[in-house]
Amino acid sequence: KNTWFLYVYIFIATASLPLLCLPTCWLLRAQYPLLGTIRNVVLEFIPDNRIVTTLPTTCFALEAVIGEHDYQHNRVNQWTNLVLEQCLSQLTKLWKPFKYIVTCIILQKNGAGLQTASSCFWDNTSDGSCVERWENKSMYCIVTVFGVAI
Amino acid sequence: MEEYNSGDEVVFNADDVNISVKECIEGVIGGTDYNQSKVNQWTAGIVEHSLTHLVKQGRPFKYIVNCTIMQKSGAGLHTANSCYWDTATDGSCTVRWENRTMYCVVGVFAVAL
């Protein structure tokens, strides 16, 4: 019975997080005008706790790092590193019992075809992943986050 | 729960994985040209075969296999990954492969149980 109360408490505490994220989105919207067009990333963890966290993390990271830039070969290395660093630091700040793997792909827009796929051998009840796609007029960016429960 | 090989060290062996993933890639797309209608099948085939191979080894790991195929047309492509895990027991391996018409990048991540 105590465990049940604990689960309800965690659910209520974390369900309010998305509401806190929304005003932050609006504040940053003035600074990053394209933010409104980017979907939020939703990560679902541990189904029986039903912790659903809306994470505008990747949106902020992408917009802040590469928002208005055109594809530049000599800077793309720096950009991917910054995006990864920011995503991972925001994920670790959640203090969830997870190991994280974040991958970032930046592709120049010139008509080339690109296909990505991933397959995972893990515990379906506790582990999960999500993908965020973003683009501007000269490049595509795909960020994938995998979370593996400890 | 399946039984794992007893007595094996819980350390990710990147060299073996490199070789087996290269063989999987060759088996699926070796000798073919980039084909928009088939690329979906290819990526799925590569990740599936690689994962099956890895699981058959019976090591106590969770695996994530990621495959990217890009047509060669002069576009710039940059992939990177970052991991927050136990560096003593977990590991990753990236395999790059190309032919005349496409690039293929496969990333394998192993997280110890």
Side-chain angles (χ1 to χ4, degrees):
Chain A
K1 196 182 176 186
N2 285 337
T3 323
W4 187 81
F5 278 134
L6 182 63
Y7 283 162
V8 168
Y9 175 73
I10 291 171
F11 175 68
I12 292 167
T14 54
S16 60
L17 272 178
L19 296 174
L20 294 173
C21 288
L22 282 175
T24 324
C25 263
W26 280 102
L27 285 171
L28 285 171
R29 200 190 165 99
Q31 210 180 344
Y32 303 112
L34 290 177
L35 194 61
T37 62
I38 301 173
R39 282 178 298 112
N40 285 335
V41 172
V42 179
L43 289 173
E44 281 195 3
F45 294 112
I46 314 175
D48 56 23
N49 281 352
R50 289 277 168 246
I51 298 172
V52 177
T53 309
T54 305
L55 241 199
T57 297
T58 43
C59 301
F60 292 166
L62 292 165
E63 190 70 29
V65 174
I66 58 179
E68 299 286 343
H69 290 111
D70 283 343
Y71 182 88
Q72 286 172 57
H73 176 73
N74 55 352
R75 294 190 67 185
V76 71
N77 199 4
Q78 218 184 331
W79 292 339
T80 48
N81 289 339
L82 279 172
V83 167
L84 287 175
E85 207 181 317
Q86 289 197 25
C87 284
L88 209 51
S89 70
Q90 298 238 17
L91 283 167
T92 53
K93 275 181 200 162
L94 293 176
W95 292 109
K96 298 269 172 66
F98 281 89
K99 294 179 178 179
Y100 298 105
I101 294 157
V102 186
T103 66
C104 172
I105 297 173
I106 295 184
L107 172 70
Q108 185 181 16
K109 276 187 176 177
N110 91 335
L114 178 84
Q115 177 82 13
T116 71
S118 51
S119 186
C120 311
F121 176 73
W122 57 23
D123 183 350
N124 278 330
T125 56
S126 61
D127 307 329
S129 69
C130 72
V131 184
E132 178 73 9
R133 274 186 44 205
W134 182 94
E135 62 179 287
N136 68 9
K137 62 174 167 57
S138 64
M139 53 187 164
Y140 296 105
C141 182
I142 302 167
V143 177
T144 314
V145 178
F146 299 96
V148 178
I150 297 174
Chain B
M1 195 66 176
E2 305 152 32
E3 285 190 5
Y4 296 107
N5 293 340
S6 58
D8 280 356
E9 282 181 1
V10 183
V11 175
F12 180 65
N13 189 338
D15 297 324
D16 285 349
V17 171
N18 207 317
I19 295 165
S20 68
V21 169
K22 277 211 164 87
E23 283 170 15
C24 289
I25 299 173
E26 279 290 336
V28 177
I29 56 176
T32 57
D33 284 343
Y34 183 86
N35 186 337
Q36 166 71 13
S37 55
K38 287 196 185 157
V39 71
N40 201 1
Q41 264 174 282
W42 290 339
T43 47
I46 290 169
V47 291
E48 198 187 306
H49 288 144
S50 305
L51 198 59
T52 315
H53 229 274
L54 288 164
V55 170
K56 271 192 198 154
Q57 289 174 3
R59 318 281 305 284
F61 285 104
K62 292 180 178 178
Y63 295 105
I64 293 158
V65 181
N66 206 22
C67 171
T68 303
I69 293 182
M70 185 180 96
Q71 186 181 18
K72 273 189 178 179
S73 77
L77 174 76
H78 196 95
T79 69
N81 57 65
S82 185
C83 310
Y84 178 74
W85 58 23
D86 182 352
T87 50
T89 55
D90 306 329
S92 70
C93 161
T94 309
V95 179
R96 278 161 287 273
W97 182 95
E98 65 177 288
N99 69 8
R100 201 175 50 87
T101 54
M102 55 185 166
Y103 296 105
C104 178
V105 181
V106 177
V108 177
F109 303 92
V111 176
L113 286 169

